[in-house]
Amino acid sequence: MTNDDTNPIKIIEESNSKTLDYFNKTYVHNLELVQSLKTELFELKVQIETLEKTKDLYTYNTDNRRSVFSPIANEQNTSITKGKQIALQIKDLQDVKGSLENRIADLEQDIIFYKEQVEMLSKAGKCIHTILTEKNHSDDDILEEGNAIEYIETEDVESKAKHAYKMMMLEDYSCYNFARQLDQTVKQELISNLNKLDVLKWLLHSDLGRAKVTLSELHNSSQNVLESLDIVLEQLNYTIDAKQSILEQVEKLIDGFRKKHSECIIEATCDCTEHELNLPSVITIRLLRMLREVFDNIFKHSNANMVTAKIFISNRLIDVFVSDNGVGIPEDYLDRSDWHSGLHRLHETIYQLDGKLDIQGDLISGTSIRFSFPIKK
């Protein structure tokens, strides 16, 4: 029997670790379950709203019209009209909606409880670890070199290296693109403007009419340079404010797409466990980048006029679902697209975050993208 088997503090640490693991898994499971139920509730509300609008089209609740070829019917044989049927459907759906809301409320209470247990057990684990560390330092338990155990990592090293290589290539490609944009849309434009200024000095003394035209060209050119710089700054994440909560930044991003693509209906909900939740900047930047990539891809390729987005954010997990009614996406989209495409970058970013990504689509139902990843602090 080893010392660890009889050490009471070590036994307590192991028991605490297993209990913490149980509560942690239950906590995350309930978070995901609540998100799934809220998605179901959202779709149910849309269905009820649609039926309400349909019901308004039917004025009468009964239909007393009789066929001239049928015998006269009494009042008890009056058929239920379409309006009545819809009203009954709405009532059934509202009952289901009420049940869902009650279940979500119960689960959210459980989540609060599990969160408290996780925090408490985490603190206890740190305390136990501190005690054990101090004890180990006081004992002369240095292993002889021949008895040391070497743990070999069994993970696919080749696969990890492949992903790292792809990310380096994508980073180099991004740097090249930024440099090219700055050269073509800023530097070359500024050189052209300097030449026009030289011409303008001469025209001011010889041809005022032509000078006015040149001055107008300079103004338009300067405006184009500013717009090009704004695009580059946005791509470099300069427009992301780390002081703002993640909820505000996500809503700001989606509102920007609504204004830019007014021809498309964007129905988006962002469910955040805390309104003022501030995530690590690296998580915020990656999430906003991925959302921007997904929406850009939709508006570039899908030809959709309806986009639905459901985003769930907590301090432990992020879950995003985006769907459109566009032309769909082929199963071999990664093989068809360039290695530096946004979807390739999306895959690599999700891999780095230890998350999951699922993209499906067809001509009938459009495209749906779902990704989620844990937040590790």
Side-chain angles (χ1 to χ4, degrees):
M1 183 176 290
T2 63
N3 291 333
D4 285 347
D5 293 334
T6 58
N7 187 341
I9 299 178
K10 193 69 179 177
I11 294 171
I12 294 171
E13 182 188 40
E14 185 179 355
S15 176
N16 183 83
S17 176
K18 289 181 178 179
T19 308
L20 174 60
D21 186 55
Y22 167 76
F23 278 109
N24 195 30
K25 286 180 179 178
T26 308
Y27 173 71
V28 173
H29 171 73
N30 280 9
L31 280 176
E32 293 173 346
L33 181 58
V34 166
Q35 170 63 8
S36 176
L37 290 174
K38 285 187 175 180
T39 301
E40 188 177 341
L41 181 63
F42 173 80
E43 293 170 350
L44 193 62
K45 288 179 179 177
V46 172
Q47 191 176 354
I48 291 173
E49 184 179 347
T50 303
L51 285 173
E52 289 281 4
K53 292 177 180 177
T54 306
K55 187 185 72 171
D56 293 339
L57 298 175
Y58 296 91
T59 307
Y60 303 101
N61 290 329
T62 58
D63 186 0
N64 292 322
R65 293 174 297 173
R66 300 178 175 83
S67 171
V68 294
F69 301 104
S70 303
I72 297 175
N74 56 33
E75 290 298 324
Q76 294 180 348
N77 292 329
T78 303
S79 61
I80 299 177
T81 64
K82 186 69 175 177
K84 279 277 190 178
Q85 293 174 355
I86 293 174
L88 291 172
Q89 290 177 14
I90 292 172
K91 184 180 181 303
D92 291 340
L93 290 176
Q94 286 174 337
D95 291 340
V96 175
K97 173 175 165 287
S99 299
L100 270 178
E101 289 172 339
N102 291 335
R103 190 180 178 194
I104 290 170
D106 292 340
L107 283 171
E108 286 177 339
Q109 289 298 317
D110 292 341
I111 286 171
I112 294 172
F113 169 75
Y114 290 127
K115 182 180 180 182
E116 291 172 351
Q117 304 309 306
V118 168
E119 291 174 350
M120 181 179 65
L121 290 167
S122 297
K123 290 178 182 177
K126 290 178 182 178
C127 294
I128 296 169
H129 180 71
T130 302
I131 295 171
L132 279 173
T133 303
E134 291 174 354
K135 182 178 183 300
N136 289 338
H137 279 298
S138 64
D139 295 338
D140 185 18
D141 57 351
I142 301 175
L143 292 173
E144 294 181 5
E145 186 176 352
N147 294 330
I149 300 175
E150 182 181 359
Y151 290 95
I152 301 174
E153 188 177 1
T154 59
E155 194 171 345
D156 188 351
V157 177
E158 184 180 351
S159 177
K160 289 180 66 176
K162 185 178 179 182
H163 283 287
Y165 185 70
K166 284 183 179 179
M167 287 306 299
M168 285 189 286
M169 288 176 61
L170 288 168
E171 184 180 348
D172 291 342
Y173 182 78
S174 295
C175 291
Y176 167 76
N177 266 342
F178 294 143
R180 183 170 57 85
Q181 284 179 276
L182 289 173
D183 179 57
Q184 294 181 357
T185 62
V186 178
K187 182 180 177 180
Q188 297 302 324
E189 200 71 31
L190 288 176
I191 292 172
S192 175
N193 287 354
L194 286 173
N195 294 331
K196 289 179 181 178
L197 283 171
D198 290 336
V199 174
L200 182 62
K201 286 190 292 185
W202 179 79
L203 289 174
L204 286 172
H205 299 286
S206 59
D207 190 345
L208 287 178
R210 181 58 188 161
K212 289 180 180 179
V213 173
T214 304
L215 189 61
S216 177
E217 290 174 353
L218 282 167
H219 179 271
N220 293 335
S221 177
S222 299
Q223 188 66 38
N224 291 335
V225 169
L226 284 175
E227 291 175 359
S228 299
L229 281 174
D230 285 339
I231 293 172
V232 174
L233 290 172
E234 184 179 13
Q235 292 173 333
L236 290 170
N237 307 316
Y238 189 73
T239 56
I240 296 176
D241 185 0
K243 295 180 181 179
Q244 281 188 329
S245 69
I246 184 65
L247 179 62
E248 292 174 316
Q249 297 195 66
V250 168
E251 290 177 343
K252 178 182 175 183
L253 177 70
I254 293 173
D255 285 340
F257 277 107
R258 284 194 179 109
K259 292 176 183 176
K260 189 176 179 181
H261 301 278
S262 56
E263 75 285 355
C264 183
I265 299 173
I266 302 177
E267 292 185 352
T269 57
C270 185
D271 186 8
C272 191
T273 54
E274 301 174 33
H275 185 272
E276 296 298 327
L277 180 63
N278 287 305
L279 298 176
S281 58
V282 65
I283 297 296
T284 299
I285 290 171
R286 269 34 181 207
L287 174 60
L288 294 175
R289 261 191 195 172
M290 288 189 288
L291 285 173
R292 190 184 299 142
E293 180 56 48
V294 169
F295 277 95
D296 280 340
N297 197 70
I298 289 173
F299 294 119
K300 283 180 183 176
H301 306 294
S302 74
N303 196 30
N305 57 18
M306 179 74 179
V307 178
T308 302
K310 301 178 183 68
I311 304 164
F312 171 74
I313 302 172
S314 72
N315 59 359
R316 300 184 64 85
L317 175 76
I318 290 180
D319 186 14
V320 175
F321 176 78
V322 182
S323 65
D324 65 62
N325 63 348
V327 297
I329 188 170
E331 292 183 2
D332 58 344
Y333 61 90
L334 284 179
D335 296 327
R336 292 192 182 192
S337 59
D338 295 328
W339 66 269
H340 51 76
S341 71
L343 289 179
H344 279 85
R345 189 180 297 276
L346 186 63
H347 272 269
E348 297 304 323
T349 304
I350 288 294
Y351 175 83
Q352 284 188 316
L353 293 169
D354 196 22
K356 296 178 181 179
L357 172 66
D358 180 53
I359 302 179
Q360 296 180 359
D362 55 60
L363 290 171
I364 298 174
S365 57
T367 302
S368 64
I369 299 177
R370 182 162 194 169
F371 63 84
S372 62
F373 56 91
I375 299 174
K376 300 177 181 179
K377 299 181 181 179

